Amino acid sequence: MSGKRSSTRAGEGPAWYQTGIAHVWLPYAQMKAVRPPLPVVRTQGCRIVLADGRELVDGIASWWTACHGYNHPHIREAVERQLALMPHVMFGGLAHEQALTLARRLAARMPGDLTRVFFSDSGSVAVEVAMKMAVQFWLNQGVRTRKKFLAFTRAYHGDTTGAMAVSDSDVGMHAMFRGLLPEQYVIDLPQNAESAAALTRFLERHADELAGIIVEPLVQGAGGMRFHDPPVLRRLRDAADRYQLLLIFDEIFTGFGRTGTLFACETADITPDIVTLSKALTGGTLPLAATVARARVFDEFWSDDPKHALMHGPTFMANPLACAAANASLDLFESEPRLQQVAAIASALERGLAPCRDLPGVRGVRVKGAIGVVELESIDDLDGLCARFVEEGVFVRPFGSIVYLTPAFTIGEEELARLTDAVTKVVDALGE
């Protein structure tokens, strides 16, 4: 399965690749220096098939989305049926069965009274909608001072302007945009007595300015795969209640089983006021996101005053194809043992990545649910490291100083062992 070449060079690959590659702008890449991307012709299960016939075991499930593996027949068939009926219809003044069914099912799955679902088409937009809801929640009550948010060190909530503003620009990708972004507050998560006291001191001074608190529950993803425990979230719920703030959980990464429960907030046994969902919502099949609000949030928009309406409406919100995929994905969570599979993956990641703890240059190894992380002292050549993994027959995409695995929940034991063996081998070679 592994091959001799680690990348596709200019002039290689199928005709569509050769003629089209000069016209795309790749994500998170310095286009002058980046290695050309690998041409993919097919995906199946946990495998990515390249144009030259090589198969790679996917270690990150296409940015954490393909939780059931690629091309699952149940999701594919649901999308095919919906395609024949209605690929899309606008959600303004119209409604359709797939969206209403999905909203009802999500509300039934969410804790507490998280019962109102606003659909959009990407995680960043779901965060923007949540922030807009939180600010207008206060405006509709005549409170005009609460327009800022409290976020946390190492946070990442997306790449659109509002989402960037509540991400930690000091450790992320957004520092150069500080002059553009609205200024928000970023402090340490309350993980111990000292930082909990700092949170209280901050809120004593600034609560009257805040619309809400936003956090990635249990795992800060793109900010470094940093884990925290449920008591942190309970402290935030208590603080939000004490200072009458809305608590927003960004579950775009953690939602749908990744940390071991269907939603991370279940682990802490609390109900946030607003939750954002995306990524695995459709099983990695089609773009879809949702912002889910508690009844008390929605009630502040329920009014005879037209100006109290939430004035937001993405063109492709509640796309029927995407909603059909999401409903089929929920079917699989109900009919197949996904959370048991996540628990088995967690155990396998613990065993498989444990040897990395003794390797030079490794700062630590950590696992939570179907997330395995090897943190290095540094990574000098991310592109080169990706190419090393391809040579081992796997697709792993490190960032910062982090090598991580977030495989599909349906991955087989041998495929998962191939991933952990590749990580151990490649990280070991870095120390030579």
Side-chain angles (χ1 to χ4, degrees), residues 224-227 350 353-367 372-378 401-404 423 427:
M225 294 291 175
R226 303 278 174 174
F227 300 166
E350 289 278 8
L353 297 178
C356 292
R357 290 190 170 94
D358 299 322
L359 298 179
V362 173
R363 295 183 62 183
V365 176
R366 51 188 179 270
V367 173
V373 181
V374 178
E375 184 171 359
L376 306 179
E377 295 289 347
S378 64
S401 60
I402 301 296
V403 177
Y404 74 95
V423 169
V427 169

Side-chain angles (χ1 to χ4, degrees), residues 382-404:
L382 285 169
D383 273 357
L385 193 56
C386 290
R388 292 284 300 276
F389 283 117
V390 171
E391 290 172 358
E392 295 301 319
V394 302
F395 185 75
V396 177
R397 187 178 166 90
F399 67 90
S401 60
I402 301 296
V403 177
Y404 74 95

Side-chain angles (χ1 to χ4, degrees), residues 80-156:
E80 288 172 348
R81 286 194 302 270
Q82 186 60 43
L83 181 63
L85 290 173
M86 179 174 55
H88 183 64
V89 68
M90 65 184 288
F91 210 59
L94 302 170
H96 58 87
E97 181 180 3
Q98 292 292 345
L100 271 58
T101 298
L102 178 58
R104 172 182 57 78
R105 295 177 76 184
L106 287 174
R109 284 285 195 163
M110 302 300 295
D113 61 341
L114 283 157
T115 56
R116 288 286 178 166
V117 180
F118 188 97
F119 290 113
S120 57
D121 47 13
S122 79
S124 292
V125 175
V127 169
E128 301 270 353
V129 171
M131 295 172 67
K132 202 169 180 178
M133 280 181 183
V135 170
Q136 193 173 347
F137 171 85
W138 295 107
L139 292 175
N140 285 357
Q141 299 177 66
V143 179
R144 301 195 170 276
T145 56
R146 290 180 176 260
K147 295 183 178 180
K148 289 186 176 294
F149 291 88
L150 174 61
F152 297 98
T153 306
R154 296 280 180 180
Y156 171 84

Side-chain angles (χ1 to χ4, degrees), residues 12 23 52 79 125 137 144 186 197 202 239 248 254 282 286 292 310 313 321-322 329 333 342 386 409 423 426:
E12 296 181 351
H23 302 284
D52 61 8
V79 172
V125 175
F137 171 85
R144 301 195 170 276
V186 177
F202 172 85
I248 302 169
T254 57
T282 68
L286 287 163
V292 188
L310 179 62
L321 290 177
S329 178
F333 277 104
V342 170
C386 290
F409 304 157
V423 169
V426 171

Side-chain angles (χ1 to χ4, degrees), residues 117-255:
V117 180
F118 188 97
F119 290 113
S120 57
D121 47 13
S122 79
S124 292
V125 175
V127 169
E128 301 270 353
V129 171
M131 295 172 67
K132 202 169 180 178
M133 280 181 183
V135 170
Q136 193 173 347
F137 171 85
W138 295 107
L139 292 175
N140 285 357
Q141 299 177 66
V143 179
R144 301 195 170 276
T145 56
R146 290 180 176 260
K147 295 183 178 180
K148 289 186 176 294
F149 291 88
L150 174 61
F152 297 98
T153 306
R154 296 280 180 180
Y156 171 84
H157 296 286
D159 292 341
T160 53
T161 303
M164 284 195 292
V166 288
S167 301
D168 183 355
S169 62
D170 287 337
V171 298
M173 316 171 252
H174 304 140
M176 70 179 70
F177 296 105
R178 280 188 185 134
L180 165 70
L181 303 178
E183 291 188 6
Q184 308 291 2
Y185 293 109
V186 177
I187 66 173
D188 290 341
L189 277 167
Q191 295 183 275
N192 51 42
E194 181 181 357
S195 54
L199 171 67
T200 299
R201 290 193 300 272
F202 172 85
L203 291 175
E204 287 290 337
R205 294 194 303 270
H206 298 288
D208 289 345
E209 304 172 53
L210 298 178
I213 301 170
I214 184 168
V215 65
E216 299 157 272
L218 299 185
V219 184
Q220 293 179 303
M225 294 291 175
R226 303 278 174 174
F227 300 166
H228 53 269
D229 295 324
V232 172
L233 303 178
R234 289 194 281 270
R235 289 187 191 110
L236 294 179
R237 179 71 274 177
D238 291 344
D241 292 341
R242 187 180 314 120
Y243 294 95
Q244 299 182 326
L245 304 173
L246 294 182
L247 180 60
I248 302 169
F249 274 13
D250 178 352
E251 293 236 24
I252 289 164
F253 175 30
T254 57

Side-chain angles (χ1 to χ4, degrees), residues 270-289:
I270 60 174
T271 302
D273 299 299
I274 302 173
V275 173
T276 61
L277 305 170
S278 190
K279 290 198 180 291
L281 174 57
T282 68
T285 307
L286 287 163
L288 185 67

